[in-house]
Amino acid sequence: MGGDEIKYVQEAFESNYIAPLGPQVDAFEREFIEKFKIRYAVALSSGTAAMHLALRVLGVGPGDEVLASSLTFIGSVTPVVFQGATPVFIDSDCVSWNMDTELLAEEIELCKKRGRLPKAVIPTDIYGQCADMDRILAVCSEHAIPVISDSAEALGATYKGRSAGTGAKAAVYSFNGNKIITTSGGGILASEDEKMISHARFLSQQARDPAPHYEHTQIGYNYRMSNIVAAIGRGQLKVIDDRVEARRNIFAYYQKALCNVSGVEFMPEASYGRSNRWLTIILITPEEFGADREEVRVALERHNIESRPVWKPMHLQPVFKGYRIRGGAVSEDLFHRGLCLPSGSAMTTGDIDRVISVIMDCHKKGRWKYRKR
Ligand SMILES: *Cc1c(COP(=O)(O)O)cnc(C)c1O
């Protein structure tokens, strides 16, 4: 927490607005759109809920296909299934680790030949690095396919100087506990399209028609952010720039220490933008490093240091067995070699040094194993 959160929570308590909705929610939405220069936003209970509402408002339904990044967190694509539609997965490129726009164009061509264009495209801004939105939009706008940016991990990142997610039909953000700023749980759906956001807002509050009694002509959801949670979010918005700086410094510190170690590579930063470096990720080539990603993870765990493999691609998930994938080798390689290192904004250089020393031990001890024959 940054410090001001408790002040806003106190305000919420004193006004006795311990309810969904209320002045903190309105203020959070207002401060969010001011900060990130997006015209309209609705605060919701999670990023997954935001994605669900976006797809629902676009009319995604049974029989539809939605193209999505394979390298992502599952909350990006479960809403496609909630709507009865089918996700089709697109591999990453090596430069940004985001949706490969060549593969996207090829898949859209295939869909066209089959006589059924995708109903939407969902690129994820992976690990806080923006997808190449202008190229994605160029491919999609030719066929008027709406793009929903999954920017859940990328708040505070920029693409050609603009906030992550801008330019898309709508963008999804998350304030889950693991994200760069958090409200303990929550999300936002943002867009330049006022109608889209007002429709999403309506659906997020059980689709109550205007009437003194409870009147419903549509099925809605209970997806609204609560006033208390929004109070935390207002405090967090004040520290987002500091958090991005902290995460970028952590990345730079790891990189300085490990960049000359053979068999270690860092997640690249695409030239078109500035990543928030939500997590610091390394790729480990075992033949050169002397140990594989899993050995390093287990070694860290033995020192009570948590690290995680890169997201397991959606096309490898048992629940999506048999779903279409275009490409796949890049995200599979990132999964097999990629390790997310501890990256919390509050880490001290002493903490980072501890992580580095365990990694270096693996390198030194393991070298013999993979020596080239
Ligand atoms: C966290 C995350 C989500 C889901 O957000 P929640 O608020 O946890 O529902 C969606 N997509 C990506 C890429 C995420 O990292």
Side-chain angles (χ1 to χ4, degrees):
M1 293 289 105
D4 279 343
E5 293 84 357
I6 193 75
K7 190 183 90 193
Y8 294 117
V9 172
Q10 191 83 32
E11 258 180 45
F13 269 70
E14 277 160 12
S15 65
N16 212 22
Y17 261 110
I18 314 300
L21 301 185
Q24 299 290 334
V25 178
D26 299 339
F28 181 52
E29 289 173 351
R30 201 169 56 238
E31 288 159 8
F32 183 93
I33 60 179
E34 271 165 24
K35 170 83 191 148
F36 299 108
K37 311 265 181 293
I38 308 179
R39 300 245 331 253
Y40 304 99
V42 55
L44 301 161
S45 54
S46 72
T48 309
M51 183 60 76
H52 190 192
L53 287 173
L55 298 177
R56 167 79 189 268
V57 170
L58 289 178
V60 172
D64 290 332
E65 288 182 342
V66 173
L67 311 189
S69 302
S70 187
L71 187 69
T72 191
F73 173 64
I74 196 164
S76 190
V77 282
T78 43
V80 176
V81 181
F82 299 165
Q83 284 302 102
T86 305
V88 175
F89 300 113
I90 311 284
D91 200 6
S92 302
D93 65 41
C94 310
V95 184
S96 68
W97 298 11
N98 283 313
M99 185 182 275
D100 184 322
T101 52
E102 305 285 325
L103 296 181
L104 172 67
E106 284 174 22
E107 186 58 38
I108 290 176
E109 276 310 306
L110 174 83
C111 293
K112 212 169 96 184
K113 281 205 194 94
R114 292 177 158 194
R116 193 171 60 167
L117 282 170
K119 193 79 175 181
V121 172
I122 308 175
T124 293
D125 294 336
I126 199 73
Y127 295 121
Q129 166 146 276
C130 294
D132 194 347
M133 187 54 74
D134 285 352
R135 295 193 55 196
I136 291 170
L137 290 175
V139 172
C140 292
S141 60
E142 203 178 313
H143 306 288
I145 304 164
V147 175
I148 307 296
S149 180
D150 182 345
S151 301
E153 301 173 359
L155 201 67
T158 57
Y159 175 78
K160 300 183 181 175
R162 312 188 297 262
S163 299
T166 48
K169 177 73 183 166
V172 167
Y173 305 90
S174 168
F175 309 105
N176 192 36
N178 62 344
K179 300 301 197 280
I180 192 154
I181 59 169
T182 180
T183 58
S184 75
I188 270 190
L189 180 67
S191 174
E192 297 298 307
D193 182 343
E194 184 175 17
K195 275 210 197 101
M196 183 164 186
I197 296 303
S198 60
H199 190 190
R201 181 174 280 123
F202 168 77
L203 292 172
S204 75
Q205 293 159 212
Q206 304 285 23
R208 267 188 72 186
D209 292 334
H213 58 276
Y214 284 81
E215 179 86 0
H216 305 276
T217 48
Q218 290 181 59
I219 295 295
Y221 313 88
N222 182 6
Y223 275 173
R224 202 69 161 111
M225 181 179 275
S226 88
N227 204 46
I228 298 296
V229 162
I232 301 172
R234 292 183 69 194
Q236 287 277 284
L237 280 183
K238 293 196 167 170
V239 295
I240 176 73
D241 295 339
D242 300 341
R243 295 291 189 265
V244 173
E245 281 318 301
R247 301 268 172 155
R248 288 187 64 90
N249 289 339
I250 289 166
F251 179 93
Y253 194 92
Y254 275 121
Q255 193 178 37
K256 191 155 175 251
L258 296 171
C259 64
N260 290 324
V261 176
S262 56
V264 175
E265 289 162 73
F266 281 77
M267 180 178 180
E269 185 166 34
S271 57
Y272 53 62
R274 187 171 190 265
S275 170
N276 68 12
R277 294 293 191 197
W278 174 49
L279 300 181
T280 293
I281 297 143
I282 55 172
L283 296 180
I284 298 168
T285 305
E287 295 80 356
E288 292 168 22
F289 180 75
D292 65 15
R293 178 265 278 158
E294 193 52 18
E295 288 172 278
V296 177
R297 193 191 67 76
V298 170
L300 287 166
E301 188 153 279
R302 272 202 300 272
H303 288 81
N304 200 25
I305 298 169
E306 188 187 30
S307 64
R308 289 275 176 112
V310 159
W311 297 127
K312 183 175 184 177
M314 291 302 115
H315 72 275
L316 299 181
Q317 295 292 349
V319 75
F320 293 126
K321 197 168 185 294
Y323 283 60
R324 218 154 74 240
I325 167 77
R326 179 154 298 257
V330 174
S331 55
E332 284 170 29
D333 177 53
L334 294 173
F335 171 57
H336 289 126
R337 291 195 297 135
L339 189 66
C340 304
L341 300 178
S343 310
S345 310
M347 281 181 88
T348 64
T349 52
D351 295 333
I352 309 173
D353 285 336
R354 259 183 74 208
V355 180
I356 291 166
S357 88
V358 176
I359 296 172
M360 287 308 290
D361 277 351
C362 295
H363 179 52
K364 285 175 199 140
K365 288 192 196 129
R367 206 184 317 237
W368 59 274
K369 273 197 264 179
Y370 292 96
R371 188 171 292 158
K372 289 200 180 78
R373 281 172 268 266

